[in-house]
Every structure is written in C-alpha cells, then in structure tokens.
Amino acid sequence: MSGADKKFDVVGKARRRVDGRGKVVGQLRFADDLVLPRMLHCKLLRSPHPHAVVESVDVSRAEGHPGVHLVLTGEAFPVPYGIMPVSLDEHPLARERVRYVGDPVAAVVAKDEQSATEAIELIAVRYRPLPTIASPEEALANPEARIHDYGEQGNIHRNQAYEFGDVEGALAASDLVFEDLFFYEGNTHLPMEQQASLASVEGDGKLLLQSSTQNPHYLHRQLARVLQMPASQIRVIATPNGGGFGGKCDPGNHEFVVCKAALVLGRPVKISLTREEVFYQHRGRHPVLMKFRTGVSKDGKLTAMHLQTLLDGGAYGSHGPASTFYTGVLTPVTYQLPRFKFEACRVFTNKPACGPKRGHGTPQPRFGQEVQLDKIADKLDLDPAELRLGMVTEPGSLTASWLRVGTTGLAACIRSVVERSDWKAKHRKLPLGRGVGLACSTYMCGAGVAIYWNKMPHSAVQLLLDRSGQVTVYSGATEIGQGSDDVLAGLIAEALGIDTDAVRCITGDTGITPIDLGSYSSRVTIMMGNAALQAAGRVRDQLAAAAAEALDTLPERVVFSQGRVFAVDDAGKAMSFVEAVALAEAKFGTLSAVGSYTPPKPPGKYKGAGVGPSPAYSFSACVVETEVDPATGWIHVPKIWIAHDIGRALNPVLAKGQVIGGVYMGLGEALMEEQAFRRLPPKLSDALVHRNPSMLDYKSLTALDMPEVDVTLIEDPDPNCPYGAKEVGQGPLLPVMPALANAVYDAVGVRVDEVPVTPDKVLRALERKAKGEAARVGPEAFPEVPYPSPTFVLPPWENGDGDELKGADGKPVRRERRVATA
Amino acid sequence: MMRLPWFEYRAPRSVAEAARILAGEGPGAMLVAGGTDLLPNMKRRHQSPSTLVALRGVDELKAVANGAGLQLGAGLTLTEVVDTPAVRERYTGLWQAAAQVATPHLRNMGTLGGNVCLDTRCTYYNQSYEWRKAIDFCLKKDGETCWVATASKRCVAVSSTDTAPALIALDAKARLASVGGTREIAIADLYRNDGIDFLARKPEELLSAILLPEANGWRSCYWKLRRRGSFDFPVLGVAAAAKLAADGTVEAARIALGAVASRPFLVPKAGEALVGRKLDDAAIGEVAGAVASRAKPMDNADMNLYWRKEVVSAFTTYALRELRGDDMRAERLRTARQALAA
Ligand SMILES: Cc1cc2nc3c(=O)[nH]c(=O)nc-3n(C[C@H](O)[C@H](O)[C@H](O)COP(=O)(O)OP(=O)(O)OC[C@H]3O[C@@H](n4cnc5c(N)ncnc54)[C@H](O)[C@@H]3O)c2cc1C
Ligand code: SF4
C-alpha cells in the first residue's frame, strides 16, 4: 500500500481541512451545543473527602426541590466499569467508598441547571473519613487503608518486571555506568472543550448518547455492561471533540448517569461538566519517579539499561495497566540497546485517576533517557547529536525486547535539526545564559493489540457510491480535532481520483458506522487509512471494469485522476468519474465496498509482549534554544526546531499543525504545567485538594509565550502505512521536554532533572553550584519498591526466540532461578 | 456552567443615584462595574450580595479631564485607559500596568475603578464553594483557619491589582462619593494590610475618579512578574517614578510594591535614598536590596514563594534602569513577552 512511485493528486498537497469551514464559522456542533425538546439537565454531587466510607445518602430534600425530576445514587449502578478489562474498579456514582475530592456520589436531574445546582446542595451524605494516601511513598508505606480491594498488594495496583538479557552482567562489564534519578510531575490534557453528554431515548425505543468522547466503541461496550442492556439497543455518537489528548478516552461517570436518567425518565438528559470537573475527570499524565542505570562504552555505545519507574496512579485503574508498561516499553526503540531491564510499579493514591495523555506513559522515561544521554555526551566529551547518530536503531531491526522497528528516519531528523538550528556553531559555544539542547523520541503508529482481547479488525470503512457521483464514507473513527475526517476524505479522494469535495464523511457513530477502536495511540491514520484504501481499491476495481468496457481498454489500464477516468495510453478515451459510477452501477448494481484492518502479529511471544508493538514507529528530533537569566533563573525560549519522520504527509498543513501543537503542549509541560495537589497540615485536616482546577491557575502557555517553531517533515514512506503515512499526533511532543532541560544546562550549566523546569529550580541549582555542591535539582532518592522478580527473555541476538525462558514444567523461569542454577 | 446566586439588579444613571441606592440598601448591596472580578467571585460564593448596583450606565464615570494633572473616571475600561494618549505619554507606569492586566477581553470589560477595588486573592480562597468545603473553608470566608499561616489571626490574602502600585508611585488620589458628598484621599490610604478588610472605602461610598498630579518632569514605569505573558495576575509588581534633573540627578523618587502583601504600598526609604544621587548601578543595587527586604510574599499565589522574594531586587533593578533611560525592551520581551515601550 506504500504507493511510493505513484504521482499524487491529493496526497501531499496543502489543503484546507474538510471540517475547517464549519469550525471557523461556528457551525460545528459540539456536544454542549445540542438541544432537544423536553431536555432536562443533570448535575453531580461530588465528594469533599479524599478518602471516606459513604455511610448514608439522604436525597429526600433534593427530590422535593422545585424542578427536580430525579435523584440518582450509587444504588442505581451495581455493575462496575473500567476502560481495561483488568481494572473494572469504577462506579458511575460511589457505592460505599469515595476515593478523591471530586468523586461523584449522587446526581440530580432537573428542569434547568440552576435547579439541579440548588438541589445537589440539599443531599445529605454521611461520610466516615479514612486516612488520606497522598503520595506514592505513602502508598508504599501504608498497605492500609487500602484504596481498592484488588491489585497486587496493599496500595500497589500494578507491579511488573522484565529483563531482556543479563543486564547486571553487561553493566558490570561496561566502561562507565550512569545512575540518574528523574521526576516528571503529572499534568492534564486541558482540552478547550469541556466534556458534555446528551442522552435520549429515540423513537424506536433505543438509547442514544451523544458525547464528547474519543472512543465511542469502548464507551458503547461499557454502557452495555453497566446499564445491563444489549449493545444493539445502544447507539453512541461521538460529537466533534474540541480537543481530547487522551482525556476523553475513558468512559466518564457522567456518561452513564445521563443514560440511566434518560432511560428512567424517557426524556433527554444533558450534562455539561464545569472546568473544575474536567480536572477531576482527569486521566492525565502520571507523575513518575524514575531511576536509570545505563552502561556505556568509552566510544559512546550503550551496553545495557536498567530502568525503574514508580507511577502515581491516583484513585482508579483507568488505563493504568497500559500506562505502567508504557513507562518503559518504547525506551529501546530509538537507540541500539543490547540489554534492557525494566521494572514498573503503579500505586493508588487519593487523587483523580491518571491515565493516557498525548504520548501515553512515554514522555516521562523519554525525558529521563534523553537528559541522561546529554550527561553521557558531556562526560565522554562527545557531541550529543553525534552520540545519538552513532547508535540509532537500524530499519527493520528488532529491539532487545522484540519490538520490530520498521522504517526509521531518526538519523535524518537529527541531521535536519542540527543543520537548521546551526547546532554545531551553538552547542557549548554560546555565551553564559544562552544555550541549545537536543533530544529525540519515537512513538507508535497505533497499538498492535486492542484493549480487550479479540481477533477482529481494529478498524473498518464502508463506502457507498451512487449515480450522482457522491462518495459516502462510513467509519467509526473519531474526529477530536486532529483531522481524522480530513485524512479519511483525502485518502478516499486520492484512491478514486476525485476531489475531497466529492467525499462525505460519516464518522464516530456506533449506530451506523463500522468499527474503529478510537482516537488513541496514534492509530487512526494508519488503521482507518489502511481500511479505507482497501475499501476504495475494491470499488475502484468495479469502476475500472465498467469503464474499461466503455473505453475499450483493459481494467488495469484505467486511470482515475482529477475527477476523470481514462485509459492510461490514450487520454482521448476518457469519461468523468460520475459517468464511470453510473456505468458501474448499471453493471454491478448498487456500489458499496468495505475494507478493514488488523495490525500484524508482533514478533514477541512472552506474556506482556502485546504492549509496545505497532505497525510502524514515528521518530522526532528537536533542538530548543534558551536564554536563561543567571540572576533570576528565568527561562526564555526564542526558537524551537523540530523534524518529524512522518513517513508521508497526507496534508502538510494539517501535519505541521499537529507538530506545532505537540511542541506547544510539550513546552507547556516542560516549563509550567502541573496537576498539583495541596495536602493541608495532617494534624489539622485530612484534606487533599487539587491546587489549581481552573484555566487561570493551571498554567499552560498563552499565544504570547509560544516561540517560533521551525518544522521539517521527513518523508520516508512506510510500507505498513496508507501511502506510507505514519503518525504525527503524539510523537512531536516527546522530545521537547528533555531538549529544553538540556538547553538550560547548556545555558547555565545546571541540571533540573525534573519536569516542569521552573525558574526557582534553576536558581536553586545555580545557588548550589555557587556553593560547590552538585549543580542539580531533582529527586534525591528512589524508595524501596517490592518489584517482582523479572520475566526473563533473551534478546534476538542472544539466540532468543521471543518467548520468556520456561523451565521443564512449562512455567516461566524467573531471573533469580536462572542465575542460581547457572 | 457555574451559576450565579440570585440578586436584585439596579442600574443607576448618575453617581448621585448610585450613592442613594448604596445608602438605602446598606451593606447587602455591592457595586459592579465590568464584573470581571465580582461575577466569578459570586459564582464561587465569595460574595452573595442581595443587590448589585451596576455602574455601566453612569456616563460621569467615563470622564477624562485634563487640567493640572489628569482625572480618570473610575468607569473607564482598562482598554480605554490604555488608549488615552495622556496616560501613555505622561503616566507611563500606569499605562504599562493597565496594559498588562489580565487579557485583552478582560481589559475590554474591566474598569479602572474595579481594578483599584479588586478583592484580595489567595489560592485557598479563589476556588469554588465545593472546593473550599473540602478544606473546611478559611478565615476570609465561611471558615476559621488561615491555611496559609495557621497561627495567624489575620487573613494574609494578597493584593493583586496592577494599577494600584503604579498609582501609588505616581502619587495619585482617589475621589470617593457618597450621599454625604465627596472626599479625596491619597490612593495609598485607600488600602489596609488586611486580606479581608482591605479597603478604607466606607460601604456607602463609591470610587468616582482617580486624580493624577501634574506629570511635571516625572517619569514612571511598572514591572510586573507573572508566569505568562498574558492572563495571569501579578505575583510581584514594582512601580517606580522619579523626577530627574538635567544631569540625571534624582530630585525625587517613589517606589511602590504590589502583590507582596495584602495591600500595595510605598517604600518611602527607597525613594528617599535615591534623592541627590544619579541612577548608577551602585545606587540602583543598594536601593533594590532595600526594596526587596520589604517584600513579604506568602505561599498563596502562583510560583515558588522564596523565589518570588529573591527576584524582587532584580525587578526593582529593571524598573530603575528603565527610569535611567536604558533600553529595556529585550528584558521586557523575555519576562513580560511584550515591549511596552511608551
Ligand atoms: C482571568 C482573570 C485574570 C485577571 N488578571 C488580572 C491582572 O493581571 N491584574 C489585575 O489587576 N486584575 C486582573 N483581573 C481582575 C479584574 O479583571 C480586573 O482587576 C478588572 O480591572 C476589575 O474591574 P471590573 O470593572 O471588572 O471590576 P468588578 O468585578 O466590577 O468589581 C471589582 C470590585 O470592585 C468594586 N467596584 C467596582 N467599581 C467600583 C467603584 N467605582 N467604586 C467602588 N467599588 C467598585 C466591586 O464592588 C467589586 O468588589 C483578572 C481577572 C480575571 C477573571
Ligand atoms: S490568606 Fe488565609 S484566610 Fe486569607 S484567604 Fe488565604 S487561607 Fe484564607
């Protein structure tokens, strides 16, 4: 499907995105814009306690409040849910426990929002407070009070360890071993659109939920589960999302509540979350503490790495089992790493649940890895760019952990930013207070495995053509602002030789569109795109067969381009696309085709090998320039250069927009974004509250704070991807944070091994440096974590077979036993 | 959406009528001008006035009068203040302060009077009712403890108005009107160092105008510290004004600080120490140190508290260098993200 040699009509041309007009003129209807006759409004009562037993909920006064139609409590929802089958730990409304300030306890449905707001204050809840678990350290130290009665042990939700080859042996044999601790503070998605949902019962008696969601399919499944209804009786429409970034991947409490209420009342029920509630729904970036022990040879080659991570998961499982894996699994994809050991632990705390945010679990270790490489280059007196260029992974190679690296443009990315930023003239050469930093990254083009185990396609597309020449394309893919509708229309238009104008996209509707798993893991362009090309190829064959007869040529010789259908060797033999459709409709009957896509089987066979594989990986390299004031620590970023290996840019304006958006979000995380909490003095209070649940106080960059971004797209088409196009939605965020930290070091010679990098930390590090102490601010210690003994897998080059070592009894051989018997 | 509590809405057409309503309604009434501070606060139940007395329809409050000095009506929006040439040309400090308040949208709505009378702020207080309930409220509203200083009997919420320190440095006066007549007080005297009772305005008074003395050779500037180039309240404001002789000798100087206490305040010793000297690096360094020692930021605003204190001297230095005539545009662009050259 690469089409590397094809001349394109649509692909690669800068176009206005197909939904651009509607957005600009304000016609696009977000969930909150929807209004139905007889619609009621819903408000949630949320817990004021971080951790408590709900002893009783008295709703009688609220039920009597004027305008109130229904009050729901946890009793209405006996069945739990969760995005991952191994973490079904949430209820739409708390049953016996609340686990963070903001956990929903009850819901009021009333004639308007004002009445509902008044009535929730009339609900009397008796709580019995439990001890507050505020941090991972506290979670590890206090198995009681246990936040959930499942998980590994105490307050540990997930705990895992993998070792690919003998890492201790390799470290011992290394010329140098670098040991570094890093911390990455949590942060949230901050989509401009706050979640809203409207549930109604349609004329046929079926439930309809229109909601700002990234994953209508998973939501659909969970609704069927919680409401105990057949999925065929439920339709979920993903309304156009005003940004998602992962924050709308999990099913939300509010979505179940309005559905239930609509079913009970037979009237439409709507909820619109406030900005503060969006901060409680969260599912954002996990705070992660990391320890890297990395061996290198004197000439700058990696020998082995031992990575340990500790994730603060917040109060619920969410995507946590996957997030835990992602704090390590992509680490070996960028550079040749002969051996790799990865231990990860996720704990529960009494804070809003963390989950997937753009880059899902990988920005944190990427930060640590790329800053550590900068330290290694410094110590070995090597250019950080050259160090990386000397060890980028080979195209088509396997990692120690058995991930297949497909095409890679990483080296080209590095060379591009080095040249465009004039790196060689700047790095270690600018005057005090000015510096440049470089970092690289990789990301998946779609997770190779679905969230629930199944053998079916991950994405499907259906095409319907009629004699008007109109091409309607149905896909479950969800437009979250990333431009998936435009990608879809562009691919179909290219394949059929027509303009995107002739394509109508109907997407993200479980009632009428075929499956797509959702807008996560940068999977849509690749998976939906491959399905779309398959469907388009099938109708094109029919069109070609019919047209060939009329043009007196062979079907293989029929060309589709610019709305015309003609014989390749005789342009005089031609007809319009509309004519070709009519001929085909006469010949074959109504024209329709489906296409679907299932990712290739991953090479790794060990238990856990399903997280990390992807049909392709994108790569990025970034140079950040900084001006750092040694007197105040103030950080100014005048310019950023970034190169992204996208395989092929289907619509370069859209692609560049995604790159700049990723840089924007990355720089915000690097400099200021923090989902931070306040613990009041424990002697006086149990309170643990979100520090800044508002757009004013949660700091993200404004337009004035955004530097100029120089974007280069590296195009090396990947054969697994539609016309070679890889992802661009998440990857370009990843290198920004470490590049910024490295640039601060280049400017003033201090390390901030922690995100965000703020002026007070820079100043503190400078003060330490002046006193002759370590010129660094960052975590000082890594707590004792009871990681399990690792699953041991031999790397491909040590005669591994992709499976974990097993004993004669067929059970996995843990590392210790292997060592003991060796 | 967060909802407002119920209230009575009154729309007087004159200062006299507004004063009459205020006197009649008593402390249950509150003035609303642009509403950019009060309405969000009401949504969070910081204030639940039974009556709102809206000043938008009072044309008198929009007056700009040149005379000896400049008189600015309290009802002028900040955008209008910024767009007044006399402000930009003669009272640069006020111009720079007003231009950096909040965002363009908020400056289009927010007024000078509202900015001067802005509620004090605190990260434990500027939160929703539900959030505050989760910490069992605090001294300033509905609770007993000050979570910033648990031993304190006094609320230490921070004065966050940008224009007030500039007005103090410019030695402006506030005109207050009530049914009993009008009075004029030095703007500095309008403030008390108390996070709850932070204004010396009587409940029946309204602020009708700001009176700026003749510029008369004075030059002024305002340096604001905030995390981002827009949107954010100050976490430090340094306003400086000086009258320089032809050879650059300081004849008089005033330096005021904002956002480091419950009120904006003048640092008289700093101004006095400059008199008779030139604004050379040594003099600036000395005075910057003295100013910094007066700043007492608390852990109730954005950014690290110790760091906020540490950079007071740097910001005072920027301000004095700008008065000296240094080209500070590059520094402005790095910190404020706008050149603000008058
Ligand atoms: C996101 C955001 C960011 C902000 N950033 C800043 C900032 O950076 N710097 C800053 O200084 N402010 C900031 N503000 C606060 C506010 O927008 C401005 O201070 C604005 O000037 C307030 O004016 P207003 O007319 O809207 O006041 P209102 O909200 O109408 O009133 C504010 C207070 O003043 C009283 N009042 C109003 N007019 C009079 C009068 N004539 N006489 C007596 N009392 C009166 C009201 O009763 C009320 O208590 C911000 C606000 C928001 C929402
Ligand atoms: S300073 Fe203390 S009393 Fe005042 S608002 Fe803040 S926490 Fe409340």
Side-chain angles (χ1 to χ4, degrees):
Chain A
M1 284 183 198
S2 99
D5 44 359
K6 190 176 180 304
K7 220 181 125 276
F8 292 112
D9 288 337
V10 179
V11 162
K13 305 264 165 11
R15 281 182 298 107
R16 176 199 286 176
R17 55 189 290 168
V18 295
D19 56 349
R21 182 190 172 278
K23 280 193 167 147
V24 171
V25 303
Q27 245 174 1
L28 199 72
R29 292 203 300 161
F30 295 99
D32 190 39
D33 296 325
L34 302 177
V35 174
L36 286 176
R38 304 178 71 238
M39 184 172 92
L40 300 171
H41 297 262
C42 179
K43 271 275 173 198
L44 300 176
L45 174 70
R46 292 177 180 268
S47 168
H49 294 284
H51 198 188
V53 173
V54 179
E55 293 195 321
S56 66
V57 185
D58 179 356
V59 301
S60 51
R61 283 183 63 217
E63 282 175 335
H65 190 69
V68 171
H69 287 254
L70 181 69
V71 183
L72 290 171
T73 65
E75 267 173 43
F77 299 99
V79 182
Y81 67 93
I83 182 79
M84 306 208 68
V86 293
S87 286
L88 299 169
D89 60 1
E90 296 187 63
H91 289 271
L93 298 171
R95 285 170 70 81
E96 53 275 329
R97 251 324 161 89
V98 285
R99 298 183 170 89
Y100 69 96
V101 170
D103 211 354
V105 179
V108 172
V109 179
K111 70 175 177 25
D112 51 31
E113 221 182 19
Q114 184 88 28
S115 309
T117 307
E118 289 161 6
I120 57 167
E121 283 172 40
L122 303 176
I123 299 172
V125 187
R126 224 180 47 236
Y127 295 100
R128 178 162 53 80
L130 295 168
T132 303
I133 306 282
S135 66
E137 287 77 7
E138 284 180 31
L140 290 172
N142 301 289
E144 300 290 331
R146 215 177 166 197
I147 296 175
H148 285 282
D149 56 11
Y150 83 105
E152 305 277 359
Q153 63 186 74
N155 282 309
I156 296 180
H157 174 216
R158 302 287 287 187
N159 205 5
Q160 63 194 37
Y162 290 89
E163 185 167 4
F164 305 96
D166 176 5
V167 165
E168 284 310 322
L171 288 176
S174 301
D175 295 335
L176 287 159
V177 176
F178 288 78
E179 183 171 322
D180 287 286
L181 296 180
F182 299 98
F183 177 64
Y184 200 110
E185 181 57 287
N187 52 55
T188 202
H189 320 84
L190 210 73
M192 283 301 114
E193 182 211 18
Q194 297 159 201
Q195 280 96 328
S197 310
L198 171 57
S200 55
V201 179
E202 292 194 281
D204 57 7
K206 298 192 180 84
L207 175 67
L208 168 64
L209 176 66
Q210 305 183 72
S211 194
S212 30
T213 174
Q214 298 181 234
N215 292 350
H217 171 65
Y218 293 131
L219 175 59
H220 188 209
R221 286 171 58 87
Q222 295 295 314
L223 285 172
R225 187 189 152 77
V226 169
L227 301 170
Q228 296 176 281
M229 282 169 69
S232 59
Q233 299 298 302
I234 305 172
R235 175 178 178 194
V236 178
I237 298 179
T239 48
N241 285 255
F245 313 111
K248 297 166 184 170
C249 281
D250 280 43
N253 311 58
H254 59 282
E255 294 176 309
F256 300 98
V257 169
V258 288
C259 285
K260 182 84 195 178
L263 288 167
V264 171
L265 296 168
R267 288 179 67 166
V269 179
K270 179 166 162 183
I271 189 162
S272 303
L273 299 192
T274 64
R275 178 56 64 180
E276 181 171 350
E277 289 180 294
V278 177
F279 281 98
Y280 296 148
Q281 176 61 22
H282 188 47
R283 320 286 147 152
R285 185 89 69 227
H286 284 76
V288 182
L289 183 64
M290 294 162 273
K291 180 171 175 179
F292 283 79
R293 283 168 63 231
T294 305
V296 283
S297 62
K298 280 203 272 308
D299 59 344
K301 296 273 185 289
L302 301 179
T303 56
M305 179 189 286
H306 178 195
L307 166 62
Q308 294 174 305
T309 66
L310 175 60
L311 296 80
D312 183 344
Y316 291 98
S318 177
H319 283 72
S323 320
T324 310
F325 273 104
Y326 283 130
T327 62
V329 292
L330 296 194
T331 302
V333 175
T334 38
Y335 312 111
Q336 293 167 22
L337 179 62
R339 291 179 180 174
F340 179 48
K341 181 174 177 183
F342 166 45
E343 295 170 302
C345 174
R346 181 182 193 262
V347 295
F348 287 124
T349 55
N350 293 123
K351 297 185 258 187
C354 297
K357 180 183 169 188
R358 207 175 196 175
H360 193 185
T362 73
Q364 299 96 325
R366 183 55 57 191
F367 172 73
Q369 185 180 7
E370 295 288 322
V371 173
Q372 191 181 48
L373 280 179
D374 206 59
K375 296 185 186 188
I376 292 170
D378 207 41
K379 178 91 179 195
L380 300 179
D381 202 19
L382 293 170
D383 180 305
E386 295 301 330
L387 173 80
R388 287 170 170 88
L389 281 171
M391 61 187 191
V392 292
T393 44
E394 297 286 334
S397 62
L398 286 168
T399 66
S401 53
W402 291 84
L403 298 182
R404 168 82 61 204
V405 180
T407 54
T408 162
L410 181 54
C413 288
I414 297 173
R415 289 194 192 101
S416 163
V417 291
V418 161
E419 195 203 301
R420 296 184 68 87
S421 69
D422 205 7
W423 166 265
K424 301 260 176 197
K426 288 178 178 167
H427 185 244
R428 294 180 195 147
K429 297 195 179 80
L430 292 171
L432 176 71
R434 286 183 60 200
V436 286
L438 180 140
C440 303
S441 63
T442 183
Y443 202 66
M444 305 179 295
C445 300
V449 177
I451 278 182
Y452 62 97
W453 168 244
N454 74 86
K455 290 185 168 171
M456 293 175 281
H458 289 213
S459 193
V461 164
Q462 183 178 14
L463 278 180
L464 188 62
L465 277 66
D466 77 20
R467 55 196 78 174
S468 68
Q470 165 177 288
V471 178
T472 309
V473 44
Y474 299 89
S475 157
T478 304
E479 176 59 73
I480 57 171
Q482 87 279 45
S484 60
D485 281 3
D486 189 72
V487 166
L488 185 59
L491 290 172
I492 298 289
E494 181 64 52
L496 298 181
I498 53 177
D499 194 81
T500 50
D501 233 21
V503 182
R504 168 169 287 137
C505 296
I506 297 183
T507 55
D509 181 337
T510 68
I512 54 176
T513 61
I515 182 77
D516 182 85
L517 294 180
S519 283
Y520 67 94
S521 83
S522 278
R523 52 177 296 291
V524 178
T525 293
I526 290 82
M527 302 204 189
M528 171 197 75
N530 280 333
L533 290 189
Q534 188 179 60
R538 287 173 176 163
V539 285
R540 196 182 45 200
D541 287 348
Q542 291 186 306
L543 294 171
E549 281 175 12
L551 299 173
D552 192 19
T553 183
L554 294 169
E556 311 81 83
R557 309 196 72 83
V558 175
V559 176
F560 296 76
S561 177
Q562 300 182 25
R564 308 287 297 164
V565 178
F566 51 92
V568 67
D569 33 21
D570 183 357
K573 291 181 177 175
M575 65 178 78
S576 71
F577 180 75
V578 185
E579 286 166 320
V581 173
L583 288 174
E585 192 175 330
K587 184 173 167 67
F588 298 108
T590 300
L591 296 174
S592 174
V594 292
S596 59
Y597 179 76
T598 312
K601 245 177 119 59
K605 287 178 263 178
Y606 56 92
K607 191 168 179 291
V611 190
S614 176
Y617 297 90
S618 75
F619 294 86
S620 319
C622 175
V623 169
V624 171
E625 184 160 340
T626 54
E627 293 173 17
V628 183
D629 186 338
T632 59
W634 189 262
I635 305 160
H636 173 63
V637 177
K639 190 160 177 178
I640 293 180
W641 295 262
I642 185 159
H644 180 71
D645 163 23
I646 192 172
R648 163 138 20 233
L650 297 175
N651 181 350
V653 207
L654 195 53
K656 284 194 178 181
Q658 285 292 308
V659 175
I660 294 171
V663 169
Y664 164 81
M665 188 172 264
L667 190 61
E669 294 191 21
L671 292 173
M672 56 182 74
E673 293 200 29
E674 280 184 277
Q675 168 107 341
F677 293 82
R678 262 202 204 278
R679 178 83 172 92
L680 292 195
K683 270 195 207 124
L684 299 174
S685 167
D686 282 330
L688 176 67
V689 281
H690 195 299
R691 253 182 117 97
N692 40 20
S694 75
M695 288 289 276
L696 171 62
D697 294 318
Y698 178 91
K699 306 298 181 189
S700 65
L701 303 182
T702 70
L704 284 177
D705 306 300
M706 187 64 188
E708 181 189 346
V709 183
D710 176 282
V711 180
T712 305
L713 297 174
I714 303 291
E715 297 187 84
D716 170 14
D718 188 293
N720 283 344
C721 300
Y723 296 127
K726 305 203 239 185
E727 75 89 36
V728 64
Q730 309 195 62
L733 170 144
L734 297 158
V736 179
M737 297 72 69
L740 180 278
N742 294 340
V744 167
Y745 176 75
D746 192 43
V748 287
V750 298
R751 293 281 177 194
V752 179
D753 289 339
E754 190 174 292
V755 162
V757 180
T758 53
D760 59 293
K761 292 176 191 169
V762 173
L763 197 57
R764 193 145 32 96
L766 283 166
E767 285 161 4
R768 285 187 185 163
K769 188 180 179 188
K771 280 192 241 158
E773 298 168 13
R776 170 187 183 268
V777 165
E780 304 284 344
F782 196 91
E784 271 306 315
V785 180
Y787 293 116
S789 52
T791 299
F792 191 84
V793 181
L794 281 171
W797 42 84
E798 295 185 36
N799 294 324
D801 61 358
D803 209 342
E804 60 214 63
L805 283 196
K806 294 211 178 87
D809 54 358
K811 293 216 176 103
V813 179
R814 296 294 178 172
R815 179 73 184 127
E816 275 74 358
R817 274 178 54 202
R818 199 189 76 102
V819 170
T821 53
Chain B
M1 188 195 295
M2 292 174 85
R3 295 278 162 185
L4 287 168
W6 296 106
F7 54 84
E8 184 98 10
Y9 187 77
R10 306 288 296 270
R13 301 306 253 169
S14 67
V15 170
E17 189 188 350
R20 268 201 308 279
I21 300 173
L22 273 188
E25 296 283 331
M30 279 188 85
L31 295 163
V32 62
T36 61
D37 181 47
L38 184 59
L39 297 181
N41 282 359
M42 285 171 64
K43 286 185 172 180
R44 293 168 158 194
R45 303 298 186 269
H46 295 139
Q47 286 95 26
S48 312
S50 51
T51 302
L52 278 188
V53 184
L55 298 177
R56 292 192 77 175
V58 182
D59 287 343
E60 295 163 65
L61 294 176
K62 291 256 179 203
V64 179
N66 279 298
L70 182 69
Q71 184 179 321
L72 295 171
L76 291 167
T77 66
L78 292 168
T79 301
E80 287 164 342
V81 171
V82 171
D83 290 345
T84 302
V87 173
R88 184 170 184 159
E89 286 151 18
R90 290 187 270 143
Y91 306 98
T92 313
L94 174 61
W95 179 75
Q96 289 169 332
Q100 290 186 84
V101 170
T103 65
H105 314 74
L106 287 159
R107 292 195 295 275
N108 289 342
M109 286 298 289
T111 64
L112 180 60
N115 191 263
V116 165
C117 298
L118 185 70
D119 194 1
T120 54
R121 298 183 63 85
C122 168
T123 44
Y124 291 88
Y125 167 72
N126 294 99
Q127 303 283 0
S128 69
Y129 182 82
E130 291 72 27
W131 190 100
R132 289 185 292 122
K133 194 167 167 183
I135 60 159
D136 205 13
F137 303 101
C138 77
L139 203 57
K140 184 159 158 86
K141 180 76 178 131
D142 304 320
E144 253 109 70
T145 312
C146 170
W147 295 112
V148 176
T150 46
S152 173
K153 292 273 165 286
R154 184 172 71 81
C155 163
V156 293
V158 57
S159 166
S160 306
T161 149
D162 279 306
T163 61
L167 291 171
I168 291 174
L170 288 166
D171 204 12
K173 287 194 168 59
R175 179 178 293 156
L176 297 161
S178 66
V179 281
T182 62
R183 61 174 178 133
E184 281 165 20
I185 59 171
I187 195 98
D189 295 336
L190 188 61
Y191 298 101
R192 299 199 179 114
N193 199 22
D194 180 320
I196 297 172
D197 195 11
F198 59 94
L199 279 183
R201 176 182 81 90
K202 299 194 191 97
E204 69 276 14
E205 282 178 329
L206 69 93
L207 177 68
S208 59
I210 297 293
L211 313 173
L212 289 154
E214 211 159 342
N216 208 1
W218 283 77
R219 47 175 92 172
S220 62
C221 68
Y222 178 73
W223 282 75
K224 172 175 183 168
L225 171 61
R226 59 173 160 183
R227 206 185 277 255
R228 302 174 290 183
S230 185
F231 206 0
D232 292 336
F233 282 92
V235 292
L236 167 68
V238 179
K243 192 172 177 179
L244 306 184
D247 69 346
T249 306
V250 177
E251 292 175 352
R254 294 169 63 87
I255 299 174
L257 291 180
V260 288
S262 295
R263 61 170 177 147
F265 59 89
L266 189 72
V267 187
K269 289 225 170 67
E272 287 155 21
L274 286 172
V275 173
R277 300 178 69 172
K278 294 222 168 75
L279 285 174
D280 52 24
D281 290 351
I284 290 177
E286 248 171 66
V287 168
V291 170
S293 70
R294 290 290 315 278
K296 302 259 168 1
M298 304 296 289
D299 190 14
N300 57 0
D302 187 31
M303 308 196 75
N304 178 281
L305 138 85
Y306 303 100
W307 180 78
R308 275 190 273 139
K309 172 133 176 102
E310 274 180 279
V311 299
V312 176
S313 104
F315 273 71
T316 309
T317 304
Y318 300 152
L320 293 175
R321 284 180 52 201
E322 193 167 83
L323 287 188
R324 174 169 82 184
D326 290 10
D327 181 357
M328 298 300 286
R329 279 175 300 183
E331 197 55 61
R332 286 267 188 201
L333 279 173
R334 274 194 288 273
T335 53
R337 317 238 175 260
Q338 39 201 311
L340 292 168

